[in-house]
């Protein structure tokens, strides 16, 4: 079945509409610059007539050229303020719809004037073809605009020239409207197909990025992602003077579990420990597998007392969990440090050092260098 009005699938419709808004604003910007150049040159040439530009026969051209330039300049001034600003979405829709409609009316008026002065409907023809590739994501509105322009053009021509002279340009422009509607549909269909291809590639790239950042065993982030995230979080914490805690968590007797019960059992212990920690953390906290039997938790915007409380909660949670397949309880040693404006490597070294101290003091404990 042929889809008369091209649309993406329902799940991508909202995303496509946002995509259209940005593209339409870009087109409005391009055509505004073009309008300033074209109508600016026409106005300069027009002003050579001197005071005659204000005569009854010339004032319409003077106003038309001037208003086009002013409108285009206003667009260029407000467009940069509208992009990606939620509060200005209403204005964004107004601008992206209004300027093509305005251009269409100008071309219609110029077409009527051209026929009246026996110059032919060339401006209307060119204008409708230009309009046909604008208003991405608004195909139905574009059809209504094209039909309205032809109706206004026909009425204007009938009113200003004899019937014998009006028939030919009206029929020519009717053919132009039909061709513009076809071009608009083909253009919209191509845009949607390109959008779908780009979305598919974006999703695949995102999936590849996520896969490269995920530890295949535990399903949590890997060491690589942890280090990358730390490099981005540290400047933010330094700039805004935000608290940030780091926990390094080591599964007690992990080597012994691997050697006596098998690596499969050791892997399952890590998986369960990771799930327990992940399920009880905030979304903004980052849980990663740091080393073989070691996990890290980056506690964003968390002070010392809160970080130590989280560490104790993790320790208790794991101690009380049923690891019956191990044959005994599983515990962890946790080292905690708080960010003190140092580089990333020194921040990690502090946590690593305190973890070694925690393990040395005994198993199943939390040790902090900040209390």
């Amino acid at each position: 079945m042929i889809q008369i009005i091209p649309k993406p699938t329902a799940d991508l419709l909202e995303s496509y509409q946002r995509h259209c808004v940005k593209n339409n604003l870009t087109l409005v910007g391009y055509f505004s610059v073009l309008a300033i150049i074209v109508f600016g040159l026409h106005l300069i040439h027009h002003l050579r007539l001197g005071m005659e530009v204000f005569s009854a026969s010339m004032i319409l051209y003077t106003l038309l050229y001037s208003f086009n330039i002013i409108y285009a300049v206003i667009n260029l001034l407000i467009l940069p303020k509208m992009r990606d600003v939620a509060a200005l979405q209403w204005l964004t829709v107004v601008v992206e719809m209004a300027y093509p409609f305005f251009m269409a009316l100008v071309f219609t008026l110029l077409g009527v004037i051209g026929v009246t002065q026996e110059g032919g409907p060339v401006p209307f023809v060119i204008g409708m073809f230009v309009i046909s590739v604008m208003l991405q994501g608004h195909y139905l509105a574009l059809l209504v605009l094209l039909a309205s322009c032809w109706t206004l053009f026909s009425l204007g021509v009938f009113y200003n020239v004899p019937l014998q002279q009006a028939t030919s340009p009206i029929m020519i422009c009717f053919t132009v409207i039909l061709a513009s509607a076809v071009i608009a549909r083909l253009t919209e269909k191509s845009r949607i197909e390109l959008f779908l291809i780009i979305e598919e590639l974006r999703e695949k790239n995102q999936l590849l990025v996520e896969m490269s950042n995920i530890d295949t065993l535990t399903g949590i982030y890997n060491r690589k992602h942890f280090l990358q995230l730390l490099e981005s979080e540290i400047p933010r914490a330094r700039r805004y003077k935000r608290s940030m805690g780091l926990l390094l968590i080591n599964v007690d007797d992990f080597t012994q579990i691997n050697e006596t019960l098998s690596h499969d059992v050791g892997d399952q212990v890590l998986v369960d420990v990771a799930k327990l920690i992940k399920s009880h953390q905030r979304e903004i906290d980052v849980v990663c597998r740091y080393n073989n039997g070691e996990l890290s938790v980056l506690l964003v915007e968390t002070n010392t007392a809160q970080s130590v409380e989280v560490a104790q909660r993790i320790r208790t949670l794991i101690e009380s969990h049923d690891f019956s397949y191990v044959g005994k309880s599983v515990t962890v040693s946790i080292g905690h440090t708080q960010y003190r404006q140092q580089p990333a490597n020194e921040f990690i070294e502090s946590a690593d050092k305190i973890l070694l101290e925690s393990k040395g003091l005994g198993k199943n404990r939390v040790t902090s260098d900040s209390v």
Side-chain angles (χ1 to χ4, degrees):
M1 183 177 177
I2 298 176
Q3 190 179 31
I4 298 175
I5 301 177
K7 287 183 180 180
T9 54
D11 58 316
L12 290 174
L13 185 58
E14 186 177 346
S15 178
Y16 180 66
Q17 288 172 344
R18 290 195 299 268
H19 172 78
C20 290
V21 169
K22 290 185 178 181
N23 281 3
N24 287 336
L25 288 180
T26 300
L27 282 174
V28 169
Y30 288 155
F31 280 104
S32 294
V33 172
L34 185 62
I36 291 171
I37 295 171
V38 172
F39 287 106
L41 292 173
H42 275 77
L43 184 61
I44 292 171
H45 178 73
H46 189 63
L47 290 175
R48 294 172 63 188
L49 297 174
M51 294 303 296
E52 192 179 341
V53 299
F54 299 107
S55 65
S57 59
M58 291 291 121
I59 188 64
L60 181 60
Y61 290 101
T62 305
L63 293 174
L64 190 62
Y65 298 154
S66 301
F67 191 72
N68 269 278
I69 295 170
I70 293 170
Y71 193 176
V73 169
I74 291 173
N75 277 336
L76 293 178
L77 290 176
I78 66 174
L79 284 177
K81 299 178 181 180
M82 293 164 48
R83 297 182 187 277
D84 301 319
V85 180
L88 295 178
Q89 287 306 299
W90 65 272
L91 184 58
T92 302
V93 175
V94 169
V95 170
E96 70 159 328
M97 296 289 288
Y99 195 57
F101 273 69
F102 170 75
M103 287 178 61
L105 292 175
V106 169
F107 284 127
T108 301
L109 178 60
L110 289 174
V112 173
I113 294 173
V115 173
T116 303
Q117 298 181 353
E118 299 183 356
V122 176
F124 182 88
V125 173
I126 296 174
M128 293 307 105
F129 283 136
V130 170
I131 295 299
S132 69
V133 297
M134 297 185 71
L135 282 179
Q136 179 176 350
H138 300 286
Y139 181 66
L140 186 58
L142 192 52
L143 291 181
V144 172
L145 177 60
L146 290 172
S148 301
C149 287
W150 180 76
T151 303
L152 291 174
F153 172 81
S154 300
L155 292 174
V157 171
F158 273 131
Y159 182 79
N160 286 283
V161 299
L163 181 61
Q164 309 92 292
Q165 299 177 25
T167 305
S168 178
I170 287 173
M171 292 310 298
I172 290 172
C173 291
F174 179 73
T175 305
V176 168
I177 290 298
L178 290 179
S180 297
V182 172
I183 291 171
R185 186 185 183 283
L186 292 174
T187 302
E188 184 70 7
K189 187 171 180 293
S190 298
R191 284 167 170 165
I192 291 173
E193 290 172 351
L194 180 60
F195 170 77
L196 294 176
I197 291 171
I198 292 173
E199 279 297 295
E200 184 179 357
L201 289 174
R202 186 189 63 78
E203 288 177 5
K204 288 182 178 178
N205 287 337
Q206 182 64 30
L207 182 60
L208 288 173
V209 170
E210 289 178 359
M211 288 175 63
S212 70
N213 290 332
I214 297 295
D215 176 59
T216 55
L217 174 65
T218 60
I220 59 177
Y221 290 119
N222 56 24
R223 180 190 180 104
K224 171 193 158 200
H225 181 72
F226 169 72
L227 296 175
Q228 290 175 341
L229 187 70
L230 201 57
E231 289 293 343
S232 64
E233 284 295 333
I234 279 182
R236 191 176 293 111
R238 184 181 296 128
R239 186 181 307 118
Y240 299 107
K241 302 187 186 310
R242 292 175 177 169
S243 299
M244 184 166 62
L246 175 59
L247 308 179
L248 282 187
I249 304 167
N250 183 264
V251 178
D252 294 328
D253 301 322
F254 186 67
T255 302
Q256 184 182 351
I257 292 172
N258 279 329
E259 291 176 351
T260 58
L261 299 176
S262 81
H263 285 277
D264 288 342
V265 174
D267 287 347
Q268 189 59 49
V269 168
L270 272 182
V271 170
D272 288 345
V273 168
K275 284 182 179 177
L276 286 169
I277 297 174
K278 181 69 177 174
S279 63
H280 287 76
Q281 295 306 118
R282 302 172 302 173
E283 288 188 9
I284 62 172
D285 296 334
V286 184
V287 183
C288 305
R289 183 180 180 186
Y290 188 67
N291 275 325
N292 185 32
E294 230 172 71
L295 291 86
S296 61
V297 181
L298 186 64
L299 302 169
V300 182
E301 296 184 25
T302 308
N303 61 33
T304 300
Q306 292 168 334
S307 296
V308 172
E309 182 183 345
V310 170
Q312 290 289 6
R313 187 167 64 242
I314 290 172
R315 184 196 64 77
T316 303
L317 184 68
I318 294 170
E319 181 187 21
S320 60
H321 185 72
D322 181 15
F323 288 92
S324 55
Y325 57 87
V326 179
K328 62 175 183 177
S329 62
V330 173
T331 59
V332 293
S333 297
I334 302 177
H336 159 257
T337 190
Q338 204 69 13
Y339 178 63
R340 300 184 182 87
Q341 308 294 311
Q342 71 267 55
N345 63 319
E346 293 181 14
F347 186 35
I348 297 172
E349 285 173 6
S350 296
D352 197 41
K353 181 180 178 182
I354 203 67
L355 173 61
L356 289 174
E357 183 180 329
S358 183
K359 290 164 66 177
L361 293 171
K363 304 169 187 176
N364 192 22
R365 66 181 296 120
V366 172
T367 306
S368 172
D369 64 355
S370 304
V371 291

